[in-house]
Amino acid sequence: MPITLPQLERHLFAAADILRGKMDASEFKEYIFGVLFLKRCSDVFETRRENILQQQLDRGLDTEEAAKRADHPSYYTGDQFFVPSEARWEYLRDEVHRDVGTGLNKALAALEEYNTSLEGVVAHIDFNRRVGQSTISDQRLRDLITHFSQIRLRNEDFEYPDLLGAAYEFLIRDFADSAGKKGGEFYTPRAVVRLMVRIAEPQEGMKIYDPCCGSGGMLVLSKEYLDEHRVNAENIGLYGQESNGGVWSIAKMNMLLHGIPDADLRNGDTLAEPMHTEGGELMRYDRVLTNPPFSQNYTRDGIPFPERFRFGFCPESGKKADLMFVQHMVSVLRSGGMCVTVMPHGVLFRGGAEKDIRTGFLDDDILDAVIGLGSNIFYGTGIPACLLVLREPGTKPPARQGKVLFINADREYREGRAQNFLDPEHIEKIVSAWHSFEDIEGFARVVDRSELRDNDDNLNIRRYADNAPPPEPHDVRAHLQGGVPKAEVEAKRNLFQAHGLKPSNLLDSRDDDYYDFTSALKEKADLKARIESDSGVATKEREFNDAVDHWWSFHKRLIARLPESGQLMAARQNLLESFEEALRPVELLNRFEVAGAIASWWSEAQNDLKTIAARGFIGLIQAWETSVLTALEDKAGSPLDHRLVRHLLPDYLSTLSDLEAKKSELDASIKAATVQDEEEADESEESLSEEELKALKKELTDVKKRHKGAESEFATELQGACASLDDDHAKTLGLAILREDLEAILMQYVANHRHEVVGAFETWWEKYQTTLTGIEQDRDEAAAKLNRYLEGLGYA
């Protein structure tokens, strides 16, 4: 069975658990990355070594001479690392039992010594480093080696080729989650990176640069963007610099595990020591994308290439180096180049030197857009941040010259428990506004230079694009006398029309400017049921579902052909574009929601689709089977809830459910009979006899035994069902499950829209159904009733 992504993710998470607890994730992450990289290099080396050994034997060499050649570094070139004997996994697993930290240190040093492209990447990792009062024990390090020995990490072991890169991204994200505030130092949420890359639109042949590259996500996603747009992603230059040596090492390994061996990443402070130069000058780039560290100090004295800062120097203290980074980015742009960077909001409105630098940006017309993002999206800070989009001087398109686009997207996010998230629909809305470069009420505004000058070059986003929701209207007459104002209903016309609802089905028109709720509606709870059963609503939702069905019936062939075509990115482009064309005319969801829905589905399904392209539909079923059985073995999650199980074992699940229900029923009956004290028992109720209670207990034991037996047969049942599938049945099943996944996403969007419709009517009910006149009448009736009661008692 191939290794699946969930399986590998659990394996890496379990590796981290071996060290977790004794130290923070920010402290032990490099150990996990180091051991993972060592294991991967060793396993890939063994593949290459076996091939060389066989080639030499086929040429007639004896075993000893063939082995000698297979162990010579000259046979390993390019991205094929030579692994010396002391760094090979077999040696570490079988020989290094004492002073394990030193053994691992020597292995990493030897790996780096024989491979110049790894210089500085792994040798700095010190497994003997003291953390707190102690070092990591030999036992824990042996546990780590033993754990990584469980899975081989060769390409042929994976369900699809770039699986390890995806798993490495998972591990980086997990460490960022665990590291809290420190996570923001090396990881930018991938949705934010995707938004930035969509704005920058890197093209084939370009040089892409991240001066504060962290773990390298900007560069990885820039390459993926080219893959998605079906251009030669190999023809792109990727450059980065990172001041933290440990994080730089993680970035280098990230590139290598994503199959990007030629990315030029340097370790050093970008302001104090920019390291990418050509002919004594700074190298120039077509695109700069970065999330620099916020609120840093710097030293002006001796700073190299001071011409970078032609708009001025920020104060050296006070943690205001943000615009120094921006000036560096602008200074290294090629003609026609563009920079997209994350920035704190303070740079938009603070005075002093920062104000002068902003004025310089505006006077030179290099600031293209300011995009406000929501709060609590980034690791390590709950405050909102923004994106600045800048261009090389003199290269703005004519329509954008002398103007700046402000986009206020601080309400565009999905709320989470510990962190908020940018979803595909939010990205679509922001990117669409960026491209259209026009005013969008409550969201975006194009502002010319003169207005900015009049505001003293204050770039506070809300000053230009205020997205505060309008206050809830309150009609005084309606509050006093009842009725729903027709003006308020008219304002919601587009919402109701999109979902096929006629307000007249819930509201009766009056001769004045008000409606009354129909007499059939007795309480607020009736509104939801009435709207959900409305024929117009049902018709619109059926029209939506029919459009999806029609689209799927025609375009599923693109997925069905993946095993033969392998054209995953071509399928992606066709699916995304055709879906939007098919669903927009229905007009139930807006265009951002339609684009977001299909993008969300692709994001969730892409690993399955990669497996289909690499191993066919049988391979997909095997991958799902492996994930389920691994989760069962690890007691992780609910393997019985996996969609493969629901499709293949409906009778088994039904039997299991019946047994669970019967077990609960018997257990409740026995407890009810035994917990109740005889003396407190209701004499009117017949209690169970001792024989009846004994029979119930016996039956419960039998049911528990049958339930346990059924559970123990789960793996056998699933393996048998999977083994019985031929190619055609596997394809039918795989496509059906992928279709259901899309359906679930779409139905959530539709339910959210329906909820908004219901909410409008519920708000009117809460505001106007109970009138002031009615309240006063109820008060007077209650007072009269009280007075009559008091009179009867002789108190009034």
Side-chain angles (χ1 to χ4, degrees), residues 474-489:
H474 286 274
D475 187 291
V476 175
R477 181 178 174 185
H479 278 299
L480 293 174
Q481 301 178 2
V484 179
K486 291 181 178 178
E488 291 188 28
V489 177

PDB file of all heavy atoms in Angstrom, residues 474-489:
ATOM      1  N   HIS A 474     -34.752  51.660  11.992  1.00  0.00           N
ATOM      2  CA  HIS A 474     -35.863  51.511  12.930  1.00  0.00           C
ATOM      3  C   HIS A 474     -36.943  52.514  12.554  1.00  0.00           C
ATOM      4  O   HIS A 474     -36.709  53.720  12.556  1.00  0.00           O
ATOM      5  CB  HIS A 474     -35.392  51.728  14.374  1.00  0.00           C
ATOM      6  CG  HIS A 474     -34.595  50.597  14.920  1.00  0.00           C
ATOM      7  ND1 HIS A 474     -35.179  49.502  15.520  1.00  0.00           N
ATOM      8  CD2 HIS A 474     -33.250  50.362  14.931  1.00  0.00           C
ATOM      9  CE1 HIS A 474     -34.236  48.652  15.895  1.00  0.00           C
ATOM     10  NE2 HIS A 474     -33.050  49.155  15.555  1.00  0.00           N
ATOM     11  N   ASP A 475     -38.094  52.002  12.237  1.00  0.00           N
ATOM     12  CA  ASP A 475     -39.229  52.833  11.852  1.00  0.00           C
ATOM     13  C   ASP A 475     -40.089  53.107  13.102  1.00  0.00           C
ATOM     14  O   ASP A 475     -40.650  52.175  13.689  1.00  0.00           O
ATOM     15  CB  ASP A 475     -40.050  52.101  10.775  1.00  0.00           C
ATOM     16  CG  ASP A 475     -41.150  52.968  10.204  1.00  0.00           C
ATOM     17  OD1 ASP A 475     -42.109  53.246  10.943  1.00  0.00           O
ATOM     18  OD2 ASP A 475     -41.044  53.350   9.021  1.00  0.00           O
ATOM     19  N   VAL A 476     -40.184  54.370  13.488  1.00  0.00           N
ATOM     20  CA  VAL A 476     -40.875  54.725  14.727  1.00  0.00           C
ATOM     21  C   VAL A 476     -42.346  54.325  14.670  1.00  0.00           C
ATOM     22  O   VAL A 476     -42.898  53.757  15.625  1.00  0.00           O
ATOM     23  CB  VAL A 476     -40.741  56.239  14.995  1.00  0.00           C
ATOM     24  CG1 VAL A 476     -41.562  56.633  16.224  1.00  0.00           C
ATOM     25  CG2 VAL A 476     -39.278  56.610  15.188  1.00  0.00           C
ATOM     26  N   ARG A 477     -42.993  54.602  13.548  1.00  0.00           N
ATOM     27  CA  ARG A 477     -44.415  54.273  13.432  1.00  0.00           C
ATOM     28  C   ARG A 477     -44.626  52.763  13.562  1.00  0.00           C
ATOM     29  O   ARG A 477     -45.585  52.308  14.209  1.00  0.00           O
ATOM     30  CB  ARG A 477     -44.951  54.778  12.100  1.00  0.00           C
ATOM     31  CG  ARG A 477     -46.443  54.495  11.916  1.00  0.00           C
ATOM     32  CD  ARG A 477     -46.942  55.054  10.602  1.00  0.00           C
ATOM     33  NE  ARG A 477     -48.341  54.659  10.366  1.00  0.00           N
ATOM     34  CZ  ARG A 477     -49.003  54.926   9.247  1.00  0.00           C
ATOM     35  NH1 ARG A 477     -48.404  55.602   8.272  1.00  0.00           N
ATOM     36  NH2 ARG A 477     -50.260  54.545   9.097  1.00  0.00           N
ATOM     37  N   ALA A 478     -43.716  51.973  12.931  1.00  0.00           N
ATOM     38  CA  ALA A 478     -43.843  50.516  13.027  1.00  0.00           C
ATOM     39  C   ALA A 478     -43.640  50.034  14.459  1.00  0.00           C
ATOM     40  O   ALA A 478     -44.310  49.100  14.916  1.00  0.00           O
ATOM     41  CB  ALA A 478     -42.846  49.843  12.089  1.00  0.00           C
ATOM     42  N   HIS A 479     -42.709  50.662  15.174  1.00  0.00           N
ATOM     43  CA  HIS A 479     -42.507  50.294  16.573  1.00  0.00           C
ATOM     44  C   HIS A 479     -43.752  50.603  17.404  1.00  0.00           C
ATOM     45  O   HIS A 479     -44.103  49.860  18.317  1.00  0.00           O
ATOM     46  CB  HIS A 479     -41.309  51.059  17.150  1.00  0.00           C
ATOM     47  CG  HIS A 479     -39.978  50.439  16.836  1.00  0.00           C
ATOM     48  ND1 HIS A 479     -39.633  49.176  17.246  1.00  0.00           N
ATOM     49  CD2 HIS A 479     -38.896  50.917  16.154  1.00  0.00           C
ATOM     50  CE1 HIS A 479     -38.409  48.888  16.833  1.00  0.00           C
ATOM     51  NE2 HIS A 479     -37.936  49.935  16.159  1.00  0.00           N
ATOM     52  N   LEU A 480     -44.436  51.707  17.065  1.00  0.00           N
ATOM     53  CA  LEU A 480     -45.610  52.121  17.836  1.00  0.00           C
ATOM     54  C   LEU A 480     -46.855  51.320  17.487  1.00  0.00           C
ATOM     55  O   LEU A 480     -47.607  50.883  18.367  1.00  0.00           O
ATOM     56  CB  LEU A 480     -45.879  53.612  17.615  1.00  0.00           C
ATOM     57  CG  LEU A 480     -44.831  54.598  18.160  1.00  0.00           C
ATOM     58  CD1 LEU A 480     -45.170  56.013  17.720  1.00  0.00           C
ATOM     59  CD2 LEU A 480     -44.754  54.505  19.679  1.00  0.00           C
ATOM     60  N   GLN A 481     -47.062  51.133  16.171  1.00  0.00           N
ATOM     61  CA  GLN A 481     -48.340  50.590  15.730  1.00  0.00           C
ATOM     62  C   GLN A 481     -48.230  49.241  15.005  1.00  0.00           C
ATOM     63  O   GLN A 481     -49.257  48.637  14.662  1.00  0.00           O
ATOM     64  CB  GLN A 481     -49.044  51.605  14.819  1.00  0.00           C
ATOM     65  CG  GLN A 481     -49.310  52.941  15.510  1.00  0.00           C
ATOM     66  CD  GLN A 481     -49.958  53.949  14.587  1.00  0.00           C
ATOM     67  OE1 GLN A 481     -50.253  53.652  13.432  1.00  0.00           O
ATOM     68  NE2 GLN A 481     -50.175  55.162  15.091  1.00  0.00           N
ATOM     69  N   GLY A 482     -47.003  48.781  14.735  1.00  0.00           N
ATOM     70  CA  GLY A 482     -46.827  47.501  14.076  1.00  0.00           C
ATOM     71  C   GLY A 482     -46.717  47.635  12.563  1.00  0.00           C
ATOM     72  O   GLY A 482     -46.954  48.699  11.994  1.00  0.00           O
ATOM     73  N   GLY A 483     -46.359  46.525  11.930  1.00  0.00           N
ATOM     74  CA  GLY A 483     -46.174  46.516  10.491  1.00  0.00           C
ATOM     75  C   GLY A 483     -44.703  46.527  10.116  1.00  0.00           C
ATOM     76  O   GLY A 483     -43.851  47.003  10.871  1.00  0.00           O
ATOM     77  N   VAL A 484     -44.397  45.983   8.948  1.00  0.00           N
ATOM     78  CA  VAL A 484     -43.024  45.969   8.423  1.00  0.00           C
ATOM     79  C   VAL A 484     -42.929  47.007   7.319  1.00  0.00           C
ATOM     80  O   VAL A 484     -43.690  46.938   6.338  1.00  0.00           O
ATOM     81  CB  VAL A 484     -42.666  44.571   7.866  1.00  0.00           C
ATOM     82  CG1 VAL A 484     -41.252  44.581   7.298  1.00  0.00           C
ATOM     83  CG2 VAL A 484     -42.814  43.510   8.946  1.00  0.00           C
ATOM     84  N   PRO A 485     -42.033  47.980   7.437  1.00  0.00           N
ATOM     85  CA  PRO A 485     -41.937  49.035   6.419  1.00  0.00           C
ATOM     86  C   PRO A 485     -41.614  48.454   5.037  1.00  0.00           C
ATOM     87  O   PRO A 485     -40.689  47.645   4.890  1.00  0.00           O
ATOM     88  CB  PRO A 485     -40.788  49.920   6.923  1.00  0.00           C
ATOM     89  CG  PRO A 485     -40.718  49.649   8.390  1.00  0.00           C
ATOM     90  CD  PRO A 485     -41.103  48.210   8.555  1.00  0.00           C
ATOM     91  N   LYS A 486     -42.353  48.860   4.048  1.00  0.00           N
ATOM     92  CA  LYS A 486     -42.118  48.380   2.690  1.00  0.00           C
ATOM     93  C   LYS A 486     -40.739  48.786   2.187  1.00  0.00           C
ATOM     94  O   LYS A 486     -40.130  48.067   1.386  1.00  0.00           O
ATOM     95  CB  LYS A 486     -43.213  48.909   1.764  1.00  0.00           C
ATOM     96  CG  LYS A 486     -44.585  48.293   2.032  1.00  0.00           C
ATOM     97  CD  LYS A 486     -45.652  48.825   1.079  1.00  0.00           C
ATOM     98  CE  LYS A 486     -47.004  48.151   1.347  1.00  0.00           C
ATOM     99  NZ  LYS A 486     -48.084  48.674   0.463  1.00  0.00           N
ATOM    100  N   ALA A 487     -40.232  49.910   2.647  1.00  0.00           N
ATOM    101  CA  ALA A 487     -38.906  50.358   2.226  1.00  0.00           C
ATOM    102  C   ALA A 487     -37.823  49.379   2.675  1.00  0.00           C
ATOM    103  O   ALA A 487     -36.860  49.114   1.949  1.00  0.00           O
ATOM    104  CB  ALA A 487     -38.623  51.752   2.786  1.00  0.00           C
ATOM    105  N   GLU A 488     -37.966  48.830   3.873  1.00  0.00           N
ATOM    106  CA  GLU A 488     -36.987  47.866   4.369  1.00  0.00           C
ATOM    107  C   GLU A 488     -37.070  46.560   3.574  1.00  0.00           C
ATOM    108  O   GLU A 488     -36.046  45.914   3.303  1.00  0.00           O
ATOM    109  CB  GLU A 488     -37.204  47.603   5.859  1.00  0.00           C
ATOM    110  CG  GLU A 488     -36.872  48.800   6.745  1.00  0.00           C
ATOM    111  CD  GLU A 488     -36.907  48.458   8.224  1.00  0.00           C
ATOM    112  OE1 GLU A 488     -36.667  47.277   8.565  1.00  0.00           O
ATOM    113  OE2 GLU A 488     -37.165  49.363   9.041  1.00  0.00           O
ATOM    114  N   VAL A 489     -38.275  46.161   3.222  1.00  0.00           N
ATOM    115  CA  VAL A 489     -38.433  44.942   2.420  1.00  0.00           C
ATOM    116  C   VAL A 489     -37.835  45.149   1.033  1.00  0.00           C
ATOM    117  O   VAL A 489     -37.152  44.265   0.490  1.00  0.00           O
ATOM    118  CB  VAL A 489     -39.920  44.550   2.319  1.00  0.00           C
ATOM    119  CG1 VAL A 489     -40.099  43.327   1.418  1.00  0.00           C
ATOM    120  CG2 VAL A 489     -40.491  44.279   3.703  1.00  0.00           C
TER     121      VAL A 489
END
